[in-house]
Amino acid sequence: MKNMMREWKAFLQERTTLPVALAAISSTKKGQPILTKSKSLDADSTSMDSLNPEFAKKVLKVQAALRSLGYRTKLVTAYRTPASQLKKYKQGKSKVKFGKHNAVRKDGNKIVPASLAADLIWNNAKKGAYKNTPENIKYYKVLGEVAKKEGLRWGGDFAKSTPALAKFGIGWDPTHIEARVSLKKIASDYKDLVARATLMNQLKPDTQDKA
């Protein structure tokens, strides 16, 4: 068994250029669960379950506060796959190629979605959730105020690059809220966890050291 594992290591050292992959092999201890990617990583989600748990608690508080002010809201974007994020960027619908919607986390031996961003629209918007009506402009600003009280960042504070919104003093992404976490760290964690899970999935269970 150990000889087979050594052969795999030799093969990987010859074939891979991912340092993190080699680190994953060397740090895998006897009996340690193999990391695997959840199928949910391969599809966009509007589910609260695809948010980072601590961030989700804050989103729920934001929604509750908005309800008390007469705004019933709907979560329309939670986790987003990197491919989907890149598509949004190319379409001009996002300013980043990789963002907080793409965050993941380790849950036991699974890598699962853990978005640190959410898009909340006002359900009762009479002329459409994205129309810049006076009612929606008011909603955007209230969302921003409530989100910031929870320590979150509001997309209405982003660059004022959309003239129709800028004239109201609002940035280009007013339905968006996100955690105040370094995007660089999110990207690093994603690459580390997903690269490790992808590589370890290439090792069949009967080639692993048993406890």
Side-chain angles (χ1 to χ4, degrees):
M1 195 74 67
K2 291 183 178 179
N3 287 338
M4 293 179 72
M5 189 62 182
R6 280 196 290 269
E7 289 175 6
W8 263 105
K9 287 185 180 181
F11 173 80
L12 290 168
Q13 287 172 341
E14 292 175 0
R15 303 287 180 177
T16 186
T17 58
L18 282 174
V20 67
L22 296 177
I25 290 294
S26 62
S27 65
T28 300
K29 297 179 181 179
K30 194 173 183 178
Q32 178 180 330
I34 300 172
L35 285 178
T36 59
K37 291 192 298 181
S38 164
K39 289 182 179 178
S40 55
L41 285 181
D42 298 327
D44 293 350
S45 174
T46 60
S47 168
M48 192 68 68
D49 291 340
S50 69
L51 298 178
N52 173 284
E54 292 304 311
F55 176 64
K57 291 177 184 177
K58 293 190 175 186
V59 173
L60 287 171
K61 287 181 179 180
V62 168
Q63 288 187 300
L66 289 169
R67 271 196 309 273
S68 72
L69 297 170
Y71 295 103
R72 288 180 58 250
T73 58
K74 180 180 180 181
L75 177 62
V76 293
T77 308
Y79 173 74
R80 187 181 287 158
T81 67
S84 180
Q85 179 65 36
L86 185 59
K87 183 178 179 180
K88 293 281 186 185
Y89 174 81
K90 290 179 178 179
Q91 291 173 336
K93 296 179 180 179
S94 178
K95 306 296 184 185
V96 293
K97 294 180 180 179
F98 185 94
K100 295 181 182 181
H101 283 294
N102 304 127
V104 298
R105 67 184 176 93
K106 183 180 174 184
D107 182 18
N109 68 330
K110 293 278 188 181
I111 305 303
V112 300
S115 175
L116 286 162
D119 294 340
L120 296 175
I121 63 169
W122 178 25
N123 258 0
N124 296 349
K126 294 178 181 178
K127 295 184 179 179
Y130 296 102
K131 299 290 185 180
N132 296 325
T133 61
E135 293 81 11
N136 277 352
I137 294 298
K138 182 180 178 181
Y139 163 68
Y140 297 155
K141 291 182 177 180
V142 172
L143 170 62
E145 291 171 4
V146 172
K148 284 186 272 191
K149 285 180 181 178
E150 290 299 328
L152 302 176
R153 190 180 180 202
W154 173 49
D157 286 333
F158 292 174
K160 296 177 178 61
S161 55
T162 303
L165 291 168
K167 67 182 181 181
F168 297 105
I170 297 175
W172 67 273
D173 202 3
T175 63
H176 176 97
I177 57 177
E178 64 179 39
R180 293 182 179 275
V181 181
S182 164
L183 184 55
K184 184 179 290 187
K185 183 180 187 307
I186 293 171
S188 175
D189 288 348
Y190 184 95
K191 290 177 182 177
D192 183 15
L193 291 173
V194 174
R196 180 176 174 181
T198 300
L199 181 67
M200 294 309 292
N201 282 343
Q202 296 176 32
L203 303 180
K204 296 180 181 179
D206 63 355
T207 69
Q208 294 295 312
D209 288 331
K210 302 287 185 179

